[in-house]
Amino acid sequence: GADDVHILDPFTGTGTFIARLLGLLDPSDLTSCYENLLHANEIVLLAYYIAAINIEQTYHALRGPGPYSPFPGVVLADTFQMGEATSEMLPEYLRPNSERARRQQALDITVIVGNPPYSVGQGSQNDNNKNLGYAKLDEKIRNTYAAKSSAGLKRNLYDSYIRAFRWASDRIGERGVISFVTNGAFIDAGSADGFRKTIADEFSAIYCLNLRGNQRTSGETSRREGGKVFGSGSRTPVAVTVLVKNPDHSRPGKIYYHDIGDYLSREEKLAKLSAFEDLSGIPWEEITPNTSGDWVNQRSELFQTFQTLGDKKNSAQLPIFDTYSNGVKTNRDAWAYNFSREELLSNMSRTIDAYNSERDRFHQSATTESVDGFIDTDPTKVSWTVNLKNDLRRNKPSVVDPTKAVRSMYRPFCKEWLYFDRQWNERVYLQPSLFPTPAHENRVIAVPGVGSRSASAFMTDVILDIQLAFNGQCFPRYRYVKVDDAGSLFAGDGGYERHDAISSRSLDAYRARFGADVTADDVFYYVYGILHSPEYRTRFSADLGKMIPRIPMVESFREFTSAGRRLADLHVGYEAVAPFELDGLPDAGADPKALAVEKLRFAGSAREPDKSAIVVNRYVTLSGIPQDAYRYEVNGRSAIEWIIERYQVKVDKDSKIVNDPNTWSNNPRYIVELLARIVRVSIESVEIIDSLPPLGI
């Protein structure tokens, strides 16, 4: 109620925060605040009108009888664009609105509250709805959050909610308070280290209440995250953050943190919030960040001394692998992957024909319209991406090539046909140098990328998708280099030279430590063994979520090498493992129609599943699955549950393409046998992992 405290909700939506705030004011301050001190911006016209009505109706209900008074503080505007100070910001044909905006800009805003939008980019190029760029704001992010970040990928720092923090930090000047309800990923994300470092430097006090609810996780991690605070409207974690800027207090600021707790339902979280009432009711823990800018799950200094798996920026780090790569990122999985090779080629033929038709139409039209405004964005014809639009601009044709249909590992223990083509895969990264042709043998270790919630490792011998492991990186046994057939001794190998991907310096270091007989194979499988160590995963879980794995040299080198080799053979050769003897497994003479899978599920009910049995269809139920088999997990989920999740008939909602796992193999027993094989793989993997020696560090 003080006459110099101006409060702004810059993303007001339907005006809820300002309307609630009116109810908290002393009645003697109500009219003065309503007329002079409360401000709200909204860019969506309908929401703007609703916000004005909500705020006005709340005010008049609280004030009582009297003449109707419109709320003078609401502005129809893009808050971020207001900060750019461009002439297009305030069109003269909305003069009263423009005057309110100019008046707001001239004020010293003291408090900024709100629920900023969460968006790092449009979901699909078919939407033709790209996020706007804000030159001044993004430049400030580059000079602060991005400049102080050690992350390789900084795209998430331009998410709308991070932009909101940057804009608000500048808008309140040297003194004020910001309070936002936002995506809570910044609390622990490796890419947000620069953001955390910057706000600690810029503010005198930071209060962060982590409401959890990250449902972009799976398995036990997902259950621990608890209910989604906004119900079905959000899959992201949610945090309430209060930033206090006081020039009379020293910097860096004090950081106060509270985690709402594990396994809480949405209702339990909201009940806790009600019980807290305000900041003083929260049992805060004061945090001292480490040098990496970590607030929670702080990285280990010991981990930093281990040898990194790979480092493309600094070879002086002596990485174990000379090269590594993301998996393939198609940005059109429904089109570029399928269990059926015939369906894959048919789908690709249809979309290539549609693309060529649009390409011809564009270049024959002599239009001055942009590609985005011209093309047919029907998702049942083409899934557009940035690169494909660029190809259309360049008038680059496309032709279906059946040799580009190759076997790939799409998800753990789930192979599909991939149309492996640079034009139709948005990013192939270095996969062509790891698997130049199906005839070139290789094995790769896939690990999750930075930001994963669970440590994991999986090995395959075919091209892999980037989400085989979460935003995964893969570390190969070999890399292939294309050479001139005419002058190469390797011409019989299809014109490729094969090179060890284990660095020679790294191999020398292992030989110096463990004996001259150590081979590159030994080092490769040693890495795989270490990555499965429960002690390693638990002790260094915070590090593994924020950076590429680092591998210690331990005295039990031979034991880890042997275990890694056995695990690798199990995981690569899973289709040849003897099926576990499950009850109900059909014999070889079973009717193929009785083996077809629509959707696998656990026996029992959805609320109380019986994981000892899996219902294949109305004819077949496989039972006798040991509970221990579920202990083997890949990428946050048990191997068995990956089979249940992937081996079902799916129809893509955009393209309407059907992907039927029954078409993968000519053997009608393939899926039921695969289930039984994965049970054995899981049990034997658990036995090997349980036998791993301690690290001895």
Side-chain angles (χ1 to χ4, degrees):
D3 60 11
D4 61 345
V5 177
H6 287 271
I7 299 173
L8 168 64
D9 180 351
F11 318 98
T12 202
T14 54
T16 301
F17 284 8
I18 298 297
R20 290 289 185 90
L21 178 56
L22 288 168
L24 297 174
L25 293 170
D26 188 288
S28 63
D29 296 324
L30 180 64
T31 297
S32 147
C33 287
Y34 179 78
E35 293 179 348
N36 302 299
L37 302 177
L38 301 184
H39 313 276
N41 298 340
E42 178 51 46
I43 191 174
V44 177
L45 185 60
L46 179 59
Y48 162 82
Y49 281 126
I50 295 172
I53 292 168
N54 279 345
I55 294 167
E56 290 167 8
Q57 292 290 340
T58 302
Y59 167 70
H60 290 96
L62 292 167
R63 187 201 62 184
Y68 195 86
S69 175
F71 177 49
V74 65
V75 178
L76 178 66
D78 177 350
T79 292
F80 293 151
Q81 194 65 45
M82 289 175 72
E84 299 295 297
T86 62
S87 58
E88 300 84 36
M89 176 186 69
L90 304 170
E92 284 305 311
Y93 58 80
L94 294 174
R95 187 166 296 170
N97 185 71
S98 299
E99 290 173 356
R100 291 197 302 271
R102 291 192 181 98
R103 188 164 59 246
Q104 182 195 112
Q105 285 185 294
L107 296 171
D108 290 329
I109 298 296
T110 320
V111 178
I112 295 177
V113 298
N115 175 205
Y118 312 172
S119 175
V120 74
Q122 66 175 336
S124 167
Q125 286 290 322
N126 287 55
D127 297 340
N128 283 338
N129 186 31
K130 296 178 181 177
N131 283 9
L132 293 175
Y134 303 94
K136 287 177 61 177
L137 179 58
D138 290 350
E139 178 66 19
K140 193 66 182 287
I141 289 174
R142 278 191 293 276
N143 293 336
T144 54
Y145 304 159
K148 293 184 179 181
S149 175
S150 61
L153 184 62
K154 301 176 184 180
R155 175 172 175 258
N156 288 346
L157 292 176
Y158 300 90
D159 189 302
S160 294
Y161 85 93
I162 298 289
R163 278 174 165 162
F165 275 111
R166 182 65 270 166
W167 175 88
S169 301
D170 296 328
R171 185 66 179 87
I172 63 171
E174 288 302 310
R175 185 187 298 271
V177 177
I178 299 166
S179 185
F180 281 156
V181 180
T182 69
N183 183 330
F186 73 87
I187 294 171
D188 195 30
S191 60
D193 58 344
F195 169 77
R196 294 189 296 268
K197 292 174 186 176
T198 301
I199 63 173
D201 288 341
E202 292 183 351
F203 291 87
S204 50
I206 298 166
Y207 299 85
C208 182
L209 174 58
N210 186 358
L211 300 179
R212 310 278 289 277
N214 184 1
Q215 293 306 309
R216 298 188 187 280
T217 56
S218 59
E220 188 62 23
T221 302
S222 174
R223 289 186 285 274
R224 196 161 50 243
E225 285 288 303
K228 294 178 282 190
V229 175
F230 293 114
S232 61
S234 173
R235 294 183 62 202
T236 65
V238 173
V240 179
T241 308
V242 179
L243 307 176
V244 181
K245 189 180 286 189
N246 184 348
D248 300 330
H249 285 207
S250 61
R251 313 277 175 84
K254 292 185 178 295
I255 301 169
Y256 302 98
Y257 176 78
H258 181 69
D259 187 322
I260 199 74
D262 292 342
Y263 301 108
L264 297 179
S265 68
R266 174 179 184 269
E267 291 69 27
E268 289 170 327
K269 292 177 182 181
L270 297 181
K272 276 197 167 189
L273 283 178
S274 295
F276 290 151
E277 292 192 0
D278 56 35
L279 291 187
S280 65
I282 298 174
W284 298 108
E285 169 195 358
E286 186 173 346
I287 285 175
T288 301
N290 62 12
T291 56
S292 298
D294 298 332
W295 287 2
V296 298
N297 300 320
Q298 294 189 2
R299 279 168 267 197
S300 160
E301 292 184 8
L302 177 62
F303 191 81
Q304 303 285 341
T305 68
F306 301 156
Q307 190 178 12
T308 182
L309 284 186
D311 191 325
K312 293 180 179 178
K313 295 181 179 179
N314 184 7
S315 59
Q317 287 287 322
L318 185 60
I320 295 176
F321 291 84
D322 278 335
T323 190
Y324 61 97
S325 173
N326 286 116
V328 172
K329 181 181 182 181
T330 74
N331 278 14
R332 55 173 63 80
D333 286 7
W335 294 93
Y337 284 103
N338 205 283
F339 282 107
S340 165
R341 183 175 183 273
E342 290 71 25
E343 285 298 312
L344 172 69
L345 291 174
S346 173
N347 294 335
M348 289 305 305
S349 179
R350 283 193 297 111
T351 197
I352 287 172
D353 286 347
Y355 161 77
N356 283 329
S357 174
E358 287 300 280
R359 179 181 57 83
D360 291 341
R361 192 169 68 88
F362 180 77
H363 288 281
Q364 291 169 7
S365 67
T367 181
T368 58
E369 193 174 0
S370 70
V371 167
D372 284 344
F374 183 89
I375 56 175
D376 183 350
T377 58
D378 182 349
T380 64
K381 296 177 180 177
V382 181
S383 178
W384 292 100
T385 60
V386 171
N387 287 352
L388 194 63
K389 288 178 179 179
N390 289 338
D391 283 349
L392 185 142
R393 289 187 188 96
R394 293 192 293 261
N395 203 16
K396 181 179 178 179
S398 185
V399 178
V400 178
D401 182 352
T403 66
K404 292 180 177 178
V406 299
R407 294 175 185 267
S408 70
M409 189 67 72
Y410 184 62
R411 294 294 183 267
F413 304 108
C414 178
K415 289 180 179 174
E416 295 191 28
W417 291 95
L418 163 68
Y419 194 77
F420 189 41
D421 181 285
R422 287 182 184 274
Q423 188 172 14
W424 293 94
N425 305 153
E426 191 71 354
R427 296 286 186 273
V428 298
Y429 300 104
L430 299 181
Q431 291 296 311
S433 68
L434 308 186
F435 299 98
T437 75
H440 289 85
E441 295 183 356
N442 209 349
R443 286 186 173 190
V444 297
I445 300 171
V447 299
V450 173
S452 171
R453 296 283 173 170
S454 59
S456 182
F458 187 72
M459 190 177 291
T460 184
D461 61 351
V462 292
I463 292 170
L464 61 153
D465 185 80
I466 191 170
Q467 297 303 337
L468 172 65
F470 170 82
N471 291 341
Q473 299 282 1
C474 67
F475 295 85
R477 175 63 185 87
Y478 303 109
R479 59 185 176 85
Y480 290 89
V481 178
K482 182 74 172 174
V483 294
D484 180 8
D485 286 0
S488 172
L489 296 174
F490 298 86
D493 193 27
Y496 291 92
E497 290 182 355
R498 191 176 79 174
H499 297 264
D500 279 332
I502 303 293
S503 73
S504 57
R505 290 189 301 164
S506 184
L507 180 57
D508 289 343
Y510 275 88
R511 284 174 171 168
R513 177 78 178 270
F514 301 113
D517 62 335
V518 172
T519 66
D521 268 356
D522 292 336
V523 176
F524 183 71
Y525 293 114
Y526 169 77
V527 167
Y528 200 55
I530 289 288
L531 290 172
H532 280 85
S533 164
E535 179 188 350
Y536 173 80
R537 291 182 175 185
T538 302
R539 187 169 173 181
F540 303 112
S541 60
D543 306 84
L544 294 169
K546 295 182 173 76
M547 57 199 303
I548 285 176
R550 290 174 170 266
I551 304 297
M553 284 190 184
V554 301
E555 292 306 316
S556 303
F557 172 80
R558 304 286 178 180
E559 290 92 328
F560 276 104
T561 297
S562 174
R565 195 183 300 269
R566 289 159 58 206
L567 287 167
D569 289 343
L570 267 177
H571 302 161
V572 171
Y574 69 92
E575 291 175 296
V577 171
F580 189 82
E581 294 182 6
L582 296 176
D583 295 331
L585 191 65
D587 58 33
D591 181 356
K593 293 181 180 178
L595 296 170
V597 170
E598 186 69 27
K599 184 175 182 178
L600 299 169
R601 64 175 179 84
F602 288 121
S605 64
R607 187 177 293 273
E608 296 183 2
D610 174 8
K611 292 191 173 183
S612 70
I614 294 173
V615 178
V616 175
N617 54 37
R618 60 177 175 159
Y619 306 107
V620 178
T621 296
L622 304 180
S623 59
I625 302 171
Q627 188 61 36
D628 253 12
Y630 291 96
R631 289 175 52 207
Y632 173 57
E633 294 189 350
V634 188
N635 207 11
R637 181 180 296 167
S638 74
I640 296 170
E641 287 169 306
W642 275 115
I643 303 302
I644 293 174
E645 199 272 336
R646 296 311 313 171
Y647 284 85
Q648 58 178 285
V649 178
K650 292 187 177 182
V651 180
D652 180 63
K653 65 182 179 66
D654 292 326
S655 67
K656 312 305 179 190
I657 289 173
V658 178
N659 196 10
D660 184 351
N662 298 289
T663 61
W664 170 252
S665 172
N666 292 326
N667 175 11
R669 288 164 46 89
Y670 177 84
I671 297 176
V672 293
E673 287 183 343
L674 177 64
L675 263 172
R677 295 183 202 279
I678 296 306
V679 171
R680 183 173 298 281
V681 166
S682 299
I683 291 170
E684 293 189 9
S685 294
V686 167
E687 290 174 352
I688 295 169
I689 292 167
D690 285 348
S691 71
L692 289 171
L695 297 177
I697 299 172

